[in-house]
Amino acid sequence: MLRLAVLVSGGGTNLQAIMDSISDGRITNAQIAVVISNNAGAYALTRADEYGAEALVVSPKDYPSREEFNQALLDTLKEHKIDLVVLAGYLVVVPPCVIQEFENRIINIHPSLIPSFCGTGCYGLHVHEKALARGVRVSGATVHFVDEGTDTGPIILQKPVMVEQDDTPEVLQRRIMEQAEWIILPKAIDLIANGKVHVDGRKVTIEE
Ligand code: GRF
């Protein structure tokens, strides 16, 4: 049984998709051991409470230095015997010590088809603003392993979503969440939990 830590900062709709997928069997062999947010006001924590998962706030603001926050986050993950860390709208830079300890065991959902519209400063609505400004006809979402870069880790799954002529960033964001994020993030977790994802350097292969 894969023990998941889901790291959140905001509304938690991707967390909700994971919880729903475990409940309805789309995800097998995995359980949410803990939900961790840097933001005490994150609605994602309410979702975790309603689901019955342990929910913790581990925030850089609560520590004298970033190094002490980094260590506290790593300690929390190890205390909960976490196998896979899932970034679901997590807006804090993942500490290098966590990335080293959890090599190829941290995944992130990004709301574009990487390598488009990603990297530093490309998060939340900014991603969709850039996609619309560029005039792309297709956008989508990507699940990837997290390495020391920003949105640079090996890609696991992607799902395209059509951009409509009159889209606003908000409308496009919602469509990408509904039609892509909430589908491929649970799918990636299920594949990993059932040993079907293999990483060789930058190349990810998935057993069907
Ligand atoms: C989503 O758009 C996701 O792609 C991005 O941050 C947002 C999080 O939304 N990483 P939620 O907190 O899961 O609702």
Side-chain angles (χ1 to χ4, degrees):
M1 180 70 78
L2 203 72
R3 291 176 61 83
L4 307 175
V6 184
L7 275 50
V8 297
S9 296
T13 64
N14 278 284
L15 169 65
Q16 190 66 54
I18 296 166
M19 298 188 298
D20 294 347
S21 298
I22 291 173
S23 299
D24 69 19
R26 281 173 287 161
I27 293 176
T28 59
N29 232 357
Q31 65 182 22
I32 297 175
V34 65
V35 174
I36 301 171
S37 181
N38 61 299
N39 170 13
Y43 187 67
L45 294 171
T46 303
R47 294 179 189 271
D49 288 342
E50 288 170 358
Y51 176 77
E54 182 180 359
L56 300 175
V57 176
V58 181
S59 171
K61 288 187 289 202
D62 299 333
Y63 295 88
S65 71
R66 180 49 73 107
E67 289 68 30
E68 284 166 281
F69 161 77
N70 292 351
Q71 191 58 51
L73 183 59
L74 179 57
D75 292 347
T76 303
L77 294 170
K78 293 170 84 170
E79 283 155 17
H80 285 81
K81 298 181 174 46
I82 297 305
D83 299 306
L84 181 70
V85 179
V86 181
L87 309 184
Y90 189 61
L91 296 179
V92 173
V93 174
V94 180
C97 62
V98 171
I99 290 172
Q100 282 142 31
E101 177 76 25
F102 288 90
E103 186 181 8
N104 287 333
R105 293 194 294 146
I106 308 172
I107 63 174
N108 181 49
I109 178 77
H110 182 78
S112 76
L113 296 176
I114 288 174
S116 295
F117 314 118
C118 64
T120 305
C122 252
Y123 60 89
L125 272 183
H126 300 309
V127 175
H128 309 293
E129 289 163 355
K130 290 174 187 288
L132 292 172
R134 184 65 183 82
V136 294
R137 295 286 181 241
V138 179
S139 189
T142 301
V143 180
H144 63 94
F145 284 110
V146 173
D147 62 13
E148 61 289 335
T150 302
D151 303 326
T152 54
I155 289 172
I156 304 167
L157 293 176
Q158 294 189 299
K159 192 169 192 303
V161 174
M162 297 310 293
V163 179
E164 308 297 342
Q165 296 277 27
D166 55 353
D167 274 347
T168 63
E170 292 78 5
V171 167
L172 180 56
Q173 178 181 52
R174 183 75 191 183
R175 187 179 309 119
I176 288 174
M177 286 171 139
E178 289 173 348
Q179 295 184 10
E181 295 180 36
W182 300 343
I183 294 167
I184 63 174
L185 185 56
K187 179 70 179 166
I189 293 168
D190 181 62
L191 288 167
I192 292 168
N194 290 284
K196 295 188 176 176
V197 176
H198 308 288
V199 191
D200 178 9
R202 306 280 304 157
K203 185 90 178 76
V204 175
T205 53
I206 295 174
E207 294 175 31
E208 286 309 330

